[in-house]
């Protein structure tokens, strides 16, 4: 622990929970402000001076080489008989957009047809281009809309591209930079969901209108066919080509958990569906599949939260409420996702954190169920349709299989139920022979059992250097993936890694998520601290040897470990973080997260928000562990001001706090493999040094 040095200026402790708006660091929210950029420059130099150097550069180069390996898996999606892939390596750091056939892809070294070289494009246009997304119209696979991002930001420019000529279409669909996307209705019509234009953005920065943009017309002439209030999160829209004419589904997202669903056509929304607002919905042909987040009573029957229900869409539109149940949750059995593939509904389930998959097929006599076999029930198994467009799917599925000590495999299941066949196998990137994976549970502050996964040496010394991670937000489940970074730079060095399944995630369904959001967000932080304490209790390590890392929503988590549980940790690494819970709704996309955290402008909700707003809770005279905060200047989702201000306040109070900011990039760790590797190495070297786990060169320094 590093206790704060004496400070003669009591004002360094501002802002506080009782005076939340007395903020002397608001100038750091000016992203390109001269004073703010000078702060960033000085902070970056200081951080690199302490934790950079030749050893860090060697680690960065070693990690970059792993990310750039030619035998890494090229993940693909199929459209019109071709498999498409975006490939990055040392020679192509921004990436090659390319395609091949399934027959060719099966070969050890397939031949690829390169459609667009992003590095060449960036040089020729003098822009920091990355490819964000792609989409082709139904029945026409030569003209695509490409979403190009400057440095990885969420905001994109849309440009039409011809895969036959491999050129952008100069008089095609082109839209300047804005948050949003375009969905093809047909080869000459784009359904536009973009914040570009006057009055087209919600307060969150996302699109508040759906427009129909015809070829040959200016975007200002595109008719608005659906819109929502500016105070809502966004609109959504999808075109269902599994029926003729295609259906258009419109979504009015009131917050990140709730939306109103409408069915319509190219003239606009026609029918509002009588559904709960907090529902997952998937339509395919003439079927409707639903999963409500809360219990739902309809037609005299009550269905539990997280139950999967199906009904013929025409019957539902006619007023029927006679659903059939395809999945029922349990205390530790929860649906993770579901999707349609060639008329079959695929259910992706976690049962006691083990992956289970069921394929449900409608027939004249009800629904036939079949469990997908030939896949492991430990580790991670992710499944999706090989075909990008459901209307083109023949039922082929892809599975991604891995665990903390086994590198990923890409598996093809033709027609969904055939014997799985391995298409690609990723290389091993670290020595796993000395490690084992074990599951454990910690008891949180309220008695809840918190699962966590430990990977490391068979025999523990009681002084293990532990890397602890978690997330606990937005219903996102943390899965035990193969992590080349931690494998190479932590496990191979004799360390132990731990991944915690905190409340606020989706591992056990809605009840697990709801327990860790709003006022319950503190519980997810209590869970994380309980895992750290359990590692000490079990004799794995000591508190001073625990290094914790997380980012984004996990930024709240890590900074709460600093202010609420400093005695449990030796060092903290906080990335692209959300921290200031007083102003988060006023910064970029923050207003879209009210349903996860609450509204700081509501006095009642601020009462709980201030309990985990570490920016306000941090105060002088405490024994806080060292912390490094890293962010990205072009992150247009979580404002870099969060990390800047927290670092400035901690340093003003005399704590050991470091800061690093990349000039470019969006809400991630790097715009290319080298940049990604560099940030992770910086963070890991900081963590290692501050828990007393140094290599010879670091010790000498």
């Amino acid at each position: 622990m590093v206790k704060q040095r004496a400070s003669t200026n009591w004002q360094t402790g501002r802002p506080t929970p009782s005076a939340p708006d007395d903020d002397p660091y608001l100038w750091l929210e000016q992203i390109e402000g001269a004073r703010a950029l000078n702060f960033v420059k000085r902070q970056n130099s200081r951080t690199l001076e302490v934790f950079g150097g030749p050893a860090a550069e060697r680690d960065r180069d070693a990690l970059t080489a792993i990310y750039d390996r030619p035998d890494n898996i090229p993940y693909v999606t199929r459209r019109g008989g071709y498999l498409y892939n975006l490939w990055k390596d040392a020679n192509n750091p921004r990436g090659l957009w390319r395609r091949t056939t399934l027959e060719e892809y099966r070969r050890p070294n397939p031949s690829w047809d390169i459609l667009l070289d992003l590095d060449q494009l960036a040089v020729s246009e003098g822009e920091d281009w990355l490819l964000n997304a792609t989409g082709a119209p139904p029945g026409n696979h030569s003209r695509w809309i490409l979403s190009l991002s400057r440095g990885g930001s969420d905001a994109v420019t849309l440009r039409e591209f011809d895969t036959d000529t491999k050129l952008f279409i100069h008089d095609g669909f082109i839209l300047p930079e804005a948050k949003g996307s375009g969905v093809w209705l047909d080869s000459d019509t784009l359904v536009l969901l973009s914040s570009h234009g006057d009055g087209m953005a919600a307060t969150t920065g996302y699109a508040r209108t759906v427009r129909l943009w015809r070829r040959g017309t200016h975007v200002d002439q595109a008719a608005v066919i659906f819109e929502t209030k500016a105070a809502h999160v966004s609109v959504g829209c999808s075109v269902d080509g599994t029926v003729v004419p295609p259906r258009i589904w419109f979504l009015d997202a009131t917050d990140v958990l709730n939306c109103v669903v409408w069915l319509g056509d190219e003239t606009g929304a026609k029918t509002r569906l009588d559904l709960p607002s907090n529902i997952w919905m998937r339509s395919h042909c003439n079927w409707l599949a639903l999963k409500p987040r809360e219990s739902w009573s309809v037609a005299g029957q009550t269905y539990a939260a997280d139950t999967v229900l199906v009904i013929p869409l025409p019957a539902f539109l006619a007023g029927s409420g006679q659903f059939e149940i395809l999945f029922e949750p349990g205390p530790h059995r929860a649906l993770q996702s579901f999707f349609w593939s060639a008329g079959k509904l695929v259910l992706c389930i976690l049962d006691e954190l083990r992956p289970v998959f069921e394929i449900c097929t409608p027939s004249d006599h009800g629904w036939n169920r079949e469990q997908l076999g030939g896949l492991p029930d430990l580790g991670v198994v992710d499944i999706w349709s090989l075909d990008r467009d459901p209307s083109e799917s023949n039922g082929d599925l892809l599975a991604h299989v891995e665990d903390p000590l086994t590198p990923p495999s890409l598996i093809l299941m033709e027609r969904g139920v055939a014997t799985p066949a391995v298409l690609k196998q990723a290389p091993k990137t670290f020595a796993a022979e000395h490690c084992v994976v074990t599951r454990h549970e910690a008891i949180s502050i309220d008695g809840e059992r918190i699962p966590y996964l430990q990977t490391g040496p068979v025999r523990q010394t009681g002084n293990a250097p532990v890397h602890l991670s978690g997330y606990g937000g937005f219903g996102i489940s943390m899965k035990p993936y193969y992590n080349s970074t931690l494998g190479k730079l932590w496990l191979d060095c004799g360390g132990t890694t731990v991944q915690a399944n905190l409340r606020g995630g989706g591992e056990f369904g809605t009840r697990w998520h709801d327990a860790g959001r709003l006022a319950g967000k503190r519980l997810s932080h209590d869970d994380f601290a309980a895992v750290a304490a359990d590692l000490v209790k079990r004799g794995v390590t000591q508190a001073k040897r625990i290094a914790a890392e997380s980012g984004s929503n996990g930024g709240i988590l890590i900074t709460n470990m600093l202010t609420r549980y400093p005695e449990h940790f030796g060092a903290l690494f906080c990335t692209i973080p959300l921290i200031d819970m007083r102003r988060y709704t006023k910064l970029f996309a923050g207003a879209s997260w009210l349903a996860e955290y609450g509204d700081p402008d509501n006095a009642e909700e601020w009462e709980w928000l201030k309990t985990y707003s570490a920016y306000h809770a941090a105060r002088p005279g405490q024994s806080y562990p060292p912390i490094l905060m890293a962010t990205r200047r072009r992150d247009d989702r979580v404002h870099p001001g969060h990390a800047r201000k927290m670092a400035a306040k901690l340093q003003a109070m005399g704590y050991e706090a470091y800061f690093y900011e990349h000039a470019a990039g969006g809400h991630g760790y790097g715009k290319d493999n080298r940049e990604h590797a560099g940030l992770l190495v910086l963070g890991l070297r900081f963590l290692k040094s501050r828990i007393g786990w140094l290599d010879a060169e670091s010790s000498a320094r």
Side-chain angles (χ1 to χ4, degrees):
M1 296 293 171
V2 178
K3 193 167 184 176
Q4 173 236 11
R5 298 190 301 271
S7 174
T8 58
N9 184 1
W10 66 270
Q11 293 182 335
T12 58
R14 297 179 296 154
T16 65
S18 59
D21 302 315
D22 182 14
D23 188 346
Y25 302 109
L26 289 177
W27 55 275
L28 285 168
E29 293 179 4
Q30 300 173 20
I31 296 176
E32 300 290 344
R35 185 182 177 192
L37 290 181
N38 185 52
F39 170 87
V40 170
K41 182 179 179 180
R42 287 187 285 105
Q43 295 290 328
N44 284 358
S45 296
R46 172 178 179 251
T47 300
L48 290 174
E49 182 180 358
V50 179
F51 305 109
E57 292 171 4
R58 285 197 298 271
D59 283 348
R60 179 203 61 202
D61 292 345
L63 206 56
T64 303
I66 290 174
Y67 297 163
D68 285 338
R69 286 184 62 133
D71 52 353
N72 285 331
I73 296 176
Y75 289 95
V76 293
T77 186
R78 185 166 61 191
R79 197 73 203 267
Y82 285 104
L83 305 187
Y84 290 83
N85 163 259
L86 179 64
W87 177 258
K88 296 181 179 181
D89 59 23
N91 296 322
N92 307 281
R94 297 175 186 274
L96 297 173
W97 186 45
R98 57 189 191 171
R99 68 183 178 186
T100 190
T101 63
L102 179 57
E103 179 182 5
E104 184 68 24
Y105 186 75
R106 293 179 189 270
R107 301 176 185 274
N109 297 295
S111 175
W112 294 89
D113 178 22
I114 297 173
L115 301 172
L116 180 64
D117 184 324
L118 273 299
D119 293 277
Q120 288 183 2
L121 179 69
V123 170
S124 65
E125 298 190 353
E127 292 284 2
D128 191 16
W129 289 133
L130 295 176
L131 185 59
N132 185 291
T134 63
N140 180 344
H141 305 110
S142 63
R143 290 200 167 193
W144 292 67
I145 284 291
L146 305 188
S147 298
L148 295 171
S149 162
R150 287 181 174 87
S153 63
D154 285 352
V156 295
T157 180
L158 305 182
R159 293 168 67 178
E160 192 172 6
F161 186 84
D162 190 325
T163 55
D164 290 337
T165 63
K166 302 179 182 178
L167 297 171
F168 286 103
I169 302 170
H170 75 276
D171 59 349
F173 289 109
I174 301 173
L175 191 71
E177 185 178 57
K179 289 188 177 183
S181 62
V183 181
W184 290 99
L185 179 63
D186 57 49
S187 295
D188 294 313
T189 311
L190 204 62
V191 180
L192 190 62
L193 300 92
S194 174
S195 60
H196 173 74
D198 293 340
M200 298 301 169
T203 55
T204 60
Y206 297 112
R208 61 170 292 267
T209 66
V210 178
R211 288 174 279 178
L212 202 68
W213 190 8
R214 304 286 189 185
R215 184 177 298 282
T217 64
H218 193 274
V219 67
D220 291 344
Q221 298 174 296
V224 174
I225 59 174
F226 186 74
E227 61 184 304
T228 188
K229 299 176 181 178
H232 288 186
V233 170
S234 67
V235 292
C237 182
S238 63
V239 178
D240 180 3
T242 62
V243 292
V244 179
R247 299 187 183 101
I248 300 183
W249 293 97
F250 299 92
L251 302 178
D252 177 359
T254 55
D255 59 44
V256 292
L257 297 178
N258 294 276
C259 67
V260 178
V261 181
W262 293 77
L263 180 59
D265 56 27
E266 64 183 66
T267 64
K270 304 299 182 186
T271 304
R272 176 173 173 167
L273 272 65
D274 186 14
L275 293 170
S277 62
N278 55 5
I279 204 161
W280 291 2
M281 187 202 82
R282 299 286 185 272
S283 174
H284 185 83
C285 295
N286 283 316
W287 287 101
L288 187 65
L290 310 167
K291 183 190 79 69
R293 289 190 80 255
E294 298 175 355
S295 61
W296 180 34
S297 296
V298 59
Q301 187 168 349
T302 299
Y303 301 100
D306 293 349
T307 300
V308 176
L309 309 169
V310 290
I311 191 172
L313 180 58
F316 178 77
L317 294 175
S320 173
Q322 301 302 311
F323 291 92
E324 185 162 352
I325 297 174
L326 292 187
F327 171 83
E328 293 183 278
H332 293 93
R333 176 179 167 85
L335 188 80
Q336 300 299 294
S337 64
F338 61 99
F339 63 91
W340 292 94
S341 179
K344 303 173 187 290
L345 187 64
V346 182
L347 306 179
C348 308
I349 302 160
L350 277 183
D351 192 343
E352 298 288 352
L353 298 178
R354 296 172 181 265
V356 176
F357 301 90
E358 294 181 358
I359 295 184
C360 304
T361 308
S363 71
D364 294 337
H365 309 289
W367 286 78
N368 298 322
R369 303 164 184 258
E370 184 175 6
Q371 187 160 316
L372 204 56
L375 297 170
D377 63 354
L378 294 174
V380 177
V381 183
D382 293 323
I383 288 183
W384 64 96
S385 176
L386 172 59
D387 293 288
R388 175 81 167 271
D389 189 334
S391 67
E392 297 178 357
S393 176
N394 66 354
D396 289 351
L397 302 176
L398 289 177
H400 169 104
V401 177
E402 62 184 294
D403 65 47
L405 300 179
T406 307
S409 297
L410 185 64
I411 295 172
L412 174 66
M413 292 165 287
E414 295 185 274
R415 304 301 188 268
V417 295
T419 302
V422 176
L423 285 175
K424 301 292 178 185
Q425 173 72 58
K428 287 188 175 183
T429 56
F430 60 92
E433 291 77 10
H434 67 291
C435 293
V436 293
V437 181
T438 53
R439 284 202 176 277
H440 307 274
E441 288 183 333
I443 306 300
S444 194
I445 194 170
D446 60 347
E448 182 66 77
R449 305 180 76 85
I450 309 302
Y452 65 93
L453 196 79
Q454 178 178 318
T455 305
V458 176
R459 294 184 178 180
Q460 295 288 349
T461 64
N463 195 37
V466 171
H467 180 282
L468 174 59
S469 62
Y471 187 73
F474 295 94
I476 296 172
S477 300
M478 295 293 286
K479 298 180 181 179
Y481 291 103
Y482 185 83
N483 190 317
S484 294
T485 302
L486 291 178
K488 184 69 174 177
L489 300 181
W490 204 275
L491 293 177
D492 263 2
C493 301
T496 295
T497 64
V498 173
Q499 185 179 79
N501 298 110
L502 313 176
R503 282 175 287 186
E507 291 88 344
F508 301 133
T510 295
R511 65 110 182 165
W512 197 250
H513 177 204
D514 284 352
R517 70 182 183 97
L518 300 177
K521 185 62 66 178
R522 279 175 62 93
L523 285 175
S524 68
H525 307 156
D526 296 330
D527 297 348
F528 196 69
V531 171
D534 197 60
L535 292 167
V536 176
K537 180 181 178 182
R538 289 180 42 238
V540 175
T541 190
Q542 304 176 58
K544 66 181 181 180
R545 298 280 275 177
I546 299 178
E549 174 185 349
S550 192
S552 193
N553 165 80
I556 311 174
L557 169 68
I558 293 299
T559 52
N560 269 262
M561 296 306 100
L562 182 84
T563 58
R564 294 184 59 214
Y565 291 104
E567 70 278 9
H568 289 320
F569 301 93
L572 302 168
F573 182 32
C574 182
T575 62
I576 50 175
L578 186 66
I579 303 174
D580 179 356
M581 303 312 292
R582 181 65 171 181
R583 289 181 51 77
Y584 86 93
T585 58
K586 298 174 175 62
L587 301 174
F588 289 158
S592 65
W593 309 322
L594 288 169
E596 182 71 18
Y597 305 118
D599 185 355
D601 293 329
N602 179 307
E604 180 181 350
E605 296 181 12
W606 171 244
E607 285 302 307
W608 76 60
L609 278 162
K610 71 181 181 182
T611 68
Y612 57 82
S613 183
Y615 181 54
H616 296 83
R619 64 186 193 274
Q622 308 304 303
S623 294
Y624 292 161
I627 186 169
L628 167 62
M629 279 162 287
T631 189
R632 304 182 69 77
R633 194 170 308 158
R634 282 191 60 84
D635 185 347
D636 52 357
R637 191 180 311 173
V638 177
H639 197 289
H642 286 278
R644 291 176 176 183
K645 295 197 302 179
M646 187 67 176
K649 180 181 178 181
L650 290 173
Q651 290 174 3
M653 291 190 293
Y655 292 112
E656 186 180 7
Y658 297 90
F659 175 87
Y660 187 79
E661 177 178 300
H662 271 305
H667 192 59
Y669 280 14
K671 66 182 182 182
D672 56 41
N673 290 340
R674 182 180 174 85
E675 199 171 272
H676 187 176
L679 180 61
L680 289 175
V681 165
L682 190 67
L684 291 177
R685 290 188 68 81
F686 160 77
L687 291 175
K688 285 184 174 184
S689 69
R690 289 322 185 242
I691 64 171
W693 192 39
L694 302 170
D695 57 32
E697 180 172 342
S698 296
S699 298
R701 297 182 69 210

